[in-house]
Amino acid sequence: MPVPTFLSRLPFLHSFAAPSKRGPIVVASWDQVNVYFLVVRERKDGLAAVAWGTLAREAEQPALAVLQQQLTASKITASRLVLLLPRTDLEMTTVEIPPADASEVAALIRAEVEQLIGDGDHELVVDYRLLDGATSPMVAAAETASDASEADQKQLGEPKRSQTAAAFSLEQSQLNAWTDSVAQTGLQLAAFTSRQTAPLYQLRQQRVFRSSLTVLIVVYEGEVELSFLRGNRLASLRTFRAGSDDAGALTDQIQLEVQRSISLMDFVSPGEMPEMLVLVRGPRDALPEGTTGPLGTDSDTDPLLTLCDSLKARPVTLAMPIDASSEQSTDDDAPAPDPVLAAAAFVFQEHHLAVDLVHPKVPPVPPNPMRRWMAIAALAVGSLGIGSYTLLSDVQALKTQVDGKQQELVEAERVAAKMQEKADETRLVQQWLGDQVDWLSQLQRLSSRFPEGQLANVRRLSAAVDGSTGVIDLSVQVNDPNRVAELENALRDAKFSITSKRVSEQTNNEEYPWQFEARIAFPITPVDEREEEIFTQPAGIEPPLEADASVETASPDASSLPENATVPENTTVPEQAEPSQQSTPAGDPKTDLPEVSL
């Protein structure tokens, strides 16, 4: 089943199209004469070879058909296929792109490839491998995430320069045709990569690239692949057809192509010659993994070892463990698994394929403006919700505070009302106290200034309060008009103010023939200036329930009157009581007394 186009654009969705079963993985490649295959099984400790071999390919016979026949004959059940295509089946273009960020590299390389091919009617599938060794190693080059594992650590902060990449491309219809062809064999196309780039990662992990300039030589039937590396950085890829199978002729052709390629590389110093490495596919015991020593007598059994002697090259190989269930022959003379296929299997398992047209490196998907606005809207809604929640919380807290303050206000108003009530009562008491007059004391003072009883007689006495002044109105009878002046002078000496009027003669009264009226005024002492008075209630005397507005008789204390002072029979002298009992209430400011003889 072909992989949908949108899955190829979105590699992370490819897992949805993968089969549910998991089994051995087939890694296959071919040249003009042979088909090379390797079947591996995944184990906890890594990969192990189950079956491998080199199949003769008849003319015009598809390589996949030859592979399917072999798997069927060997009764090998596999689920996935990693396909390594040679340069003849996979277009490679070397492109140079301007300085760019890592996120822009894929788009720039694709644009360059489409411009070079010049055919816009067909959709292309493009993947690439940066040739970072073609640039000075002191310059940091931008890389995609998949290339980061194959590049050395770069120096940061240096200016960017143009980059060179090997771009592999084919039309989408061709990729679909390959996918259909693989599906007819009962396999799923798991990876579609370049054969030439497959072994580089594993060889680099084994540190076989030790010189400043190295060329890796891989020989197939009818073609030779050259990979140039500056240090351990890939700098250039080259493939050419072999003119002869003879070791001597092939040696001369390889040397000539190497020199021609170096002469065209601007990063190679004049006269600098590369170290040559040959990837050996001989018997397992002919060359242990990573061997760099002298060749043995097995050079006659493997043409590649003979080629190493002719080129004065260092042979390298890659080995893979053999699965215990494998029925493959393990004799010493049996060929080992193809090192290119073994390296591709390891790289596929570790997800380090530099080129994979099934999952090509694509530019990052530009952000959807709708998503951006939706994110902004979601953020705005979230902020509004948080703000509303905070505002509602604040409003609720303020309501609680207002309720508390209102309760406090009600309580304060209640207390203030009580205090105002007390203040009103205090004000009334203060006003009542301010209106109180010690009339007995004033009458005592007044009586001490009056003449003797046989000389004057008080017929009527009334007392009242006029603001801050006490007023006593008297109606007095005297036996001589001169007594009027004497009485006025005596009262004025006692700090009284007196005004006399209506002096008249009464012929019908022989004892007191003269009568006049007098008004006596004196200042009332303020409450706060009065001295505190202490009164003692006599035993057996009940205090009056209320103060009478008028008193029958008001007279000075008998002890303070003159010895010869006479008081009429109808006049009584009350006992001295407390100020509240002897004072006139504020509501009745006037006290009338009947006639008193002094």
Side-chain angles (χ1 to χ4, degrees):
M1 177 180 179
V3 178
T5 303
F6 74 92
L7 286 180
S8 64
R9 294 293 182 186
L10 302 174
F12 64 90
L13 293 177
H14 179 75
S15 58
F16 293 104
S20 58
K21 62 181 180 178
R22 284 292 181 266
I25 303 172
V26 180
V27 185
S29 182
W30 55 78
D31 53 29
Q32 297 179 359
V33 177
N34 300 317
V35 176
Y36 309 97
F37 77 95
L38 171 64
V39 181
V40 297
R41 177 177 287 118
E42 293 179 322
R43 302 187 305 186
K44 292 183 179 179
D45 56 347
L47 295 178
V50 176
W52 63 92
T54 302
L55 307 176
R57 179 182 177 184
E58 298 180 2
E60 304 296 332
Q61 186 178 11
L64 290 177
V66 176
L67 177 63
Q68 182 182 9
Q69 293 175 2
Q70 177 64 27
L71 296 178
T72 303
S74 302
K75 297 181 180 181
I76 298 175
T77 303
S79 60
R80 290 167 289 173
L81 174 65
V82 177
L83 194 56
L84 281 63
L85 290 187
R87 178 71 177 274
T88 55
D89 294 331
L90 186 62
E91 181 67 25
M92 188 194 79
T93 306
T94 302
V95 297
E96 186 173 351
I97 59 174
D101 293 332
S103 59
E104 302 173 346
V105 172
L108 291 174
I109 290 177
R110 182 179 181 85
E112 289 290 335
V113 172
E114 291 178 349
Q115 183 178 3
L116 290 175
I117 294 178
D119 187 0
D121 296 337
H122 302 283
E123 184 179 0
L124 291 178
V125 179
V126 180
D127 201 4
Y128 61 92
R129 170 68 166 86
L130 288 177
L131 303 178
D132 48 334
T135 307
S136 173
M138 297 302 293
V139 178
E143 290 189 356
T144 60
S146 61
D147 289 331
S149 60
E150 295 200 20
D152 289 336
Q153 296 179 352
K154 309 281 175 99
Q155 297 181 3
L156 300 177
E158 297 187 6
K160 299 177 182 178
R161 295 186 182 180
S162 59
Q163 303 175 73
T164 304
F168 301 88
S169 62
L170 77 164
E171 296 179 3
Q172 182 64 50
S173 59
Q174 294 176 344
L175 179 60
N176 294 339
W178 280 109
T179 305
D180 294 340
S181 300
V182 173
Q184 292 176 3
T185 63
L187 302 174
Q188 178 200 358
L189 184 58
F192 193 81
T193 185
S194 167
R195 182 178 65 187
Q196 190 171 1
T197 61
L200 298 180
Y201 178 79
Q202 285 296 110
L203 292 175
R204 182 179 172 223
Q205 293 297 105
Q206 294 185 9
R207 303 182 183 277
V208 299
F209 305 121
R210 305 168 184 171
S211 301
S212 60
L213 182 62
T214 306
V215 57
L216 176 67
I217 304 170
V218 183
V219 180
Y220 293 94
E221 292 290 341
E223 59 186 356
V224 178
E225 295 176 348
L226 303 179
S227 300
F228 293 88
L229 295 99
R230 169 65 72 179
N232 55 9
R233 299 167 179 264
L234 181 61
S236 178
L237 297 174
R238 177 79 187 280
T239 301
F240 64 92
R241 293 188 178 275
S244 173
D245 294 336
D246 181 68
L250 185 59
T251 299
D252 294 338
Q253 187 178 6
I254 291 175
Q255 290 176 343
L256 179 62
E257 293 295 338
V258 169
Q259 292 177 358
R260 181 183 300 173
S261 300
I262 291 177
S263 64
L264 298 176
M265 297 177 184
D266 55 359
F267 57 86
V268 178
S269 303
E272 184 180 8
M273 293 302 296
E275 179 187 13
M276 295 188 182
L277 305 180
V278 176
L279 188 60
V280 177
R281 298 190 306 276
R284 291 191 304 276
D285 62 342
L287 188 67
E289 180 180 350
T291 296
T292 58
L295 300 176
T297 58
D298 293 327
S299 61
D300 297 336
T301 63
D302 190 348
L304 290 178
L305 298 180
T306 303
L307 180 63
C308 289
D309 292 339
S310 302
L311 292 173
K312 297 182 181 179
R314 177 161 56 93
V316 293
T317 189
L318 293 168
M320 173 174 284
I322 308 300
D323 191 83
S325 63
S326 173
E327 298 180 358
Q328 193 83 12
S329 175
T330 56
D331 297 338
D332 293 341
D333 295 335
D338 188 284
V340 175
L341 302 183
F346 283 121
V347 173
F348 173 76
Q349 185 197 31
E350 298 174 4
H351 306 287
H352 288 150
L353 278 175
V355 177
D356 186 2
L357 293 171
V358 175
H359 311 105
K361 292 179 281 293
V362 295
V365 179
N368 190 342
M370 290 300 297
R371 292 183 179 178
R372 179 171 176 266
W373 287 112
M374 287 176 64
I376 294 176
L379 181 61
V381 171
S383 301
L384 182 61
I386 295 174
S388 300
Y389 176 78
T390 304
L391 182 60
L392 290 176
S393 300
D394 294 342
V395 170
Q396 188 63 31
L398 291 175
K399 285 183 177 180
T400 304
Q401 293 181 5
V402 168
D403 293 341
K405 295 298 182 182
Q406 288 180 345
Q407 187 66 26
E408 293 178 3
L409 177 61
V410 171
E411 186 68 19
E413 289 178 347
R414 186 178 64 82
V415 174
K418 288 185 177 181
M419 295 181 66
Q420 184 64 34
E421 182 179 355
K422 296 295 183 183
D424 293 340
E425 294 177 355
T426 303
R427 180 175 56 79
L428 291 175
V429 171
Q430 290 288 343
Q431 182 180 357
W432 181 75
L433 290 176
D435 293 339
Q436 286 189 89
V437 179
D438 188 0
W439 295 108
L440 293 179
S441 177
Q442 298 300 329
L443 289 175
Q444 182 181 7
R445 292 175 56 204
L446 185 63
S447 64
S448 64
R449 298 294 178 176
F450 265 76
E452 297 179 355
Q454 65 272 17
L455 300 179
N457 178 33
V458 178
R459 296 186 58 192
R460 181 178 56 82
L461 184 148
S462 63
V465 176
D466 184 8
S468 60
T469 303
V471 178
I472 300 175
D473 291 325
L474 298 175
S475 178
V476 183
Q477 293 176 339
V478 294
N479 60 354
D480 191 341
N482 294 328
R483 302 288 183 234
V484 176
E486 293 176 1
L487 179 61
E488 290 179 353
N489 294 332
L491 293 177
R492 288 191 180 97
D493 291 340
K495 306 301 182 181
F496 285 104
S497 175
I498 182 171
T499 303
S500 300
K501 59 182 180 178
R502 297 182 184 178
V503 180
S504 62
E505 182 179 3
Q506 296 178 346
T507 58
N508 56 354
N509 190 340
E510 297 179 357
E511 186 177 4
Y512 302 103
W514 294 93
Q515 180 179 349
F516 70 95
E517 293 181 0
R519 167 163 286 192
I520 301 172
F522 58 89
I524 300 175
T525 305
V527 178
D528 53 352
E529 296 181 5
R530 297 176 187 176
E531 296 180 359
E532 184 179 0
E533 299 182 14
I534 301 176
F535 298 93
T536 303
Q537 178 68 40
I541 298 178
E542 295 293 336
L545 295 177
E546 58 182 11
D548 295 335
S550 73
V551 182
E552 292 184 357
T553 304
S555 176
D557 190 357
S559 62
S560 62
L561 293 176
E563 296 180 357
N564 55 355
T566 62
V567 179
E569 294 180 359
N570 58 348
T571 302
T572 60
V573 179
E575 292 288 336
Q576 187 174 2
E578 295 181 3
S580 61
Q581 297 177 357
Q582 69 179 357
S583 301
T584 302
D588 190 5
K590 184 175 181 181
T591 302
D592 295 329
L593 298 177
E595 181 179 348
V596 179
S597 296
L598 300 175

